[in-house]
């Protein structure tokens, strides 16, 4: 019999459903320990792992390579339950959004953005965000907690369920290699979900332990198998964690830069008061594995009259001159009571032309899913949307959060 200490060592309290431990989010060695506590041999853990992450089964009775009594034992002690979906929306452009409710009723949003030959899932790392970037709806959310590794991986599982993106036998490696089931990271022509962007709600580097554990599970080539080159982690600039992220995970890095002077960045990305632009850019230069073939993406939100001048564009190029960089211009996505407007389209194009002439690829990010409030920076759980539309209240909240983080200048 497994004692509670064995299971609680690996999981947050909300990773239980009706007293049963959710196996989603355990890494293979933890799964092995948990199952061996139930008397199962090591190779059984690999079999269960494969059913969970290659096939996406949601019920133990479907794990047909296991004897019936083992399946019954698993069902008695464990669960593969996905979080509940409180709201599901589909945009006219094909973008899908799930408002995902965790077992403790906290909610996060998760967005699938399909493209011609691929599809990215925008995954949340926290309920809300402790950062208070002035242009971001998530930053105005009162409630904040870290998501567990289980809850992060579960977003991918759930999206795959909805997208019917689990391979059928015969559609995957079974055929191509005669080997193990599941997708193959090199050949994903049949997948709906090929890329992961950690750009949903929350600051992933403020929940590094859980994010890194979840990403390792997602990257595991014997499971979901989305490789590090297909994963991008976006940060507002938690400098001390950037190196670790590169060394341990090796995923693509995106930096939410948004301003070219500390004076402005201090205001719109308050974390800058702790880690100013110079330190942030040095961490980028030092990012393990960065090269011209693997550039860092700098995200730059276009705010009318704030950061969108010709001088800003030129200064941006000067700042990035010795960093293998690409620049992503993001038209500001509005939300109720937001204190900014999006730059004029002609201004964005002009800004982009200057960068292009300076040798930077600087695509303008087409907003996706705006009609369902699924675009960058619009995410905020529905229950909170109703309450926090008052600007004064938002300002009060931001002041509170900044004080809590010691960011008040
Ligand atoms: N916390 C991380 C990742 C989530 S935000 C970060 O800040 O990088 C993902 C991206 O959306 C960031 O570049 C963020 O600055 C941007 N963003 C936030 N609010 C936005 C808005 N209203 N319109 C457009 N982009 C926004
Ligand atoms: Fe948090 Fe990113 Fe939004 Fe800033 S932009 S408040 S770091 S989610």
């Amino acid at each position: 019999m497994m004692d509670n200490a064995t299971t609680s060592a690996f999981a947050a309290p909300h990773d239980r459903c009706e007293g049963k431990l959710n196996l989603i989010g355990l890494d293979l060695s933890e799964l092995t320990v948990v199952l061996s506590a139930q008397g199962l041999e090591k190779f059984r853990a690999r079999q269960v792992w494969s059913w969970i992450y290659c096939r996406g089964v949601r019920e133990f009775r479907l794990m047909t390579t296991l004897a019936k009594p083992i399946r019954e034992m698993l069902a008695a002690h464990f669960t593969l339950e996905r979080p509940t979906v409180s709201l599901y929306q589909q945009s006219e452009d094909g973008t899908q959004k799930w408002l995902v409710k965790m077992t403790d009723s906290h909610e996060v949003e998760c967005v699938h953005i399909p493209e011609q030959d691929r599809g990215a899932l925008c995954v949340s790392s926290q309920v809300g965000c402790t950062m208070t970037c002035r242009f971001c709806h998530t930053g105005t959310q009162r409630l904040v907690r870290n998501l567990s590794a289980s809850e992060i991986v579960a977003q991918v599982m759930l999206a795959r369920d909805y997208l019917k993106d689990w391979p059928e036998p015969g559609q995957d490696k079974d055929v191509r290699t005669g080997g193990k089931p599941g997708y193959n990271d090199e050949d994903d022509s049949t997948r709906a979900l090929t890329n992961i962007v950690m750009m949903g709600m929350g600051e992933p580097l403020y929940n590094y332990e859980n994010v890194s554990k979840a990403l390792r599970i997602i990257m595991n080539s014997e499971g979901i198998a989305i490789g590090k080159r297909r994963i991008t982690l976006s940060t507002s600039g938690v400098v001390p964690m950037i190196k670790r992220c590169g060394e341990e995970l090796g995923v693509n890095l995106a930096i939410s830069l948004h301003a070219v002077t500390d004076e402005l960045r201090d205001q719109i990305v308050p974390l800058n008061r702790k880690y100013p632009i110079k330190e942030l850019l040095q961490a980028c230069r030092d990012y393990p594995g960065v090269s011209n073939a693997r550039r860092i993406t700098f995200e730059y939100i276009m705010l009318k009259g704030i950061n969108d001048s010709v001088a800003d564009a030129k200064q941006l190029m000067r700042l990035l001159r010795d960093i293998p960089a690409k620049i992503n211009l993001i038209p500001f996505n509005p939300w109720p009571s937001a204190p900014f407007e999006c730059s004029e389209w002609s201004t964005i194009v002009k800004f982009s032309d200057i960068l292009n002439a300076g040798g930077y690829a600087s695509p303008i990010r087409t907003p996706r899913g705006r009609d369902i409030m699924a675009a960058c920076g619009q995410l905020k759980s529905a229950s909170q949307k109703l309450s926090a539309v008052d600007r004064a209240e938002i300002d009060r909240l931001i002041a509170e959060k900044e004080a809590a983080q010691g960011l008040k200048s």
Side-chain angles (χ1 to χ4, degrees), residues 135-136 198-200 202-204 234-236 256 258 299 301 330-333 335 376-377:
F135 44 78
C136 177
M198 294 304 299
M199 293 187 186
E203 169 47 62
S234 175
T235 177
S236 56
S256 294
H258 306 320
E299 298 162 280
I301 190 170
I330 316 179
F332 169 67
N333 292 308
W335 39 273
C376 283

Side-chain angles (χ1 to χ4, degrees), residues 32 35 48 93 95 188 228 285 348 381 389:
T32 309
L35 295 188
V48 172
D93 67 17
T95 302
D188 57 11
K228 61 184 180 183
R285 281 182 205 101
I348 302 179
S381 53
V389 289

Side-chain angles (χ1 to χ4, degrees), residues 131 133 236-239 256-257 259-281 407:
M131 303 295 159
C133 304
S236 56
V238 187
V239 167
S256 294
L257 189 62
V260 293
T261 62
D262 282 326
E263 197 188 359
L264 177 61
R265 199 163 188 271
D266 280 353
Q267 292 310 311
I268 63 175
V269 183
L271 186 65
N272 196 69
R273 297 176 209 160
K274 223 176 198 165
Y275 308 116
I277 294 178
K278 196 162 166 227
E279 287 177 29
L280 177 57
L281 296 184
L407 290 176

Side-chain angles (χ1 to χ4, degrees), residues 94-262:
T95 302
Q96 296 176 63
K97 183 171 92 171
W98 298 270
L99 179 63
V100 179
K101 191 177 198 161
M102 304 304 172
T103 54
D104 64 358
S105 293
H106 283 150
E107 291 174 322
V108 295
E109 292 183 320
C110 176
V111 178
H112 181 254
I113 306 142
E115 282 173 36
Q116 198 102 54
D117 54 352
R118 52 185 229 156
L121 189 72
C122 183
V123 172
S124 290
S125 56
Q126 297 181 307
V127 176
C129 186
T130 52
M131 303 295 159
T132 49
C133 304
R134 290 293 192 276
F135 44 78
C136 177
H137 205 201
T138 310
T140 67
Q141 187 161 322
R142 186 171 296 278
L143 214 58
V144 180
R145 85 155 162 82
N146 282 338
L147 293 184
S148 68
S150 176
E151 292 167 332
I152 296 167
V153 176
Q155 294 173 59
V156 179
M157 311 291 278
L158 187 130
R160 275 246 163 117
D161 294 346
Y162 268 71
L163 296 164
K164 301 202 178 354
D165 201 28
W166 295 107
E168 295 296 327
Q171 190 198 340
D172 54 25
K173 281 191 205 171
D174 279 352
V175 172
R176 286 196 294 268
T177 67
K180 298 180 189 71
Y183 283 124
N184 176 337
D185 186 42
E186 284 92 56
D187 178 0
D188 57 11
S189 51
T190 53
R191 286 191 191 202
L193 200 172
T194 56
N195 292 61
I196 302 277
V197 290
M198 294 304 299
M199 293 187 186
M201 296 165 71
E203 169 47 62
L205 295 187
Y206 263 11
N207 183 18
Y208 181 75
E209 297 302 332
N210 293 340
V211 166
S212 71
K213 184 175 172 195
L215 289 182
R216 276 184 244 243
I217 292 170
I218 291 164
M219 288 191 273
N220 188 306
S221 61
E222 301 295 315
I224 297 174
I226 296 181
K228 61 184 180 183
R229 281 162 204 277
R230 297 177 185 279
I231 298 178
T232 301
L233 182 146
S234 175
T235 177
S236 56
V238 187
V239 167
M241 299 308 294
I242 290 179
K243 187 164 175 220
R244 222 176 129 193
C245 172
E247 280 171 355
E248 296 178 0
L249 301 173
V251 295
N252 303 315
L253 183 67
I255 300 286
S256 294
L257 189 62
H258 306 320
V260 293
T261 62
D262 282 326

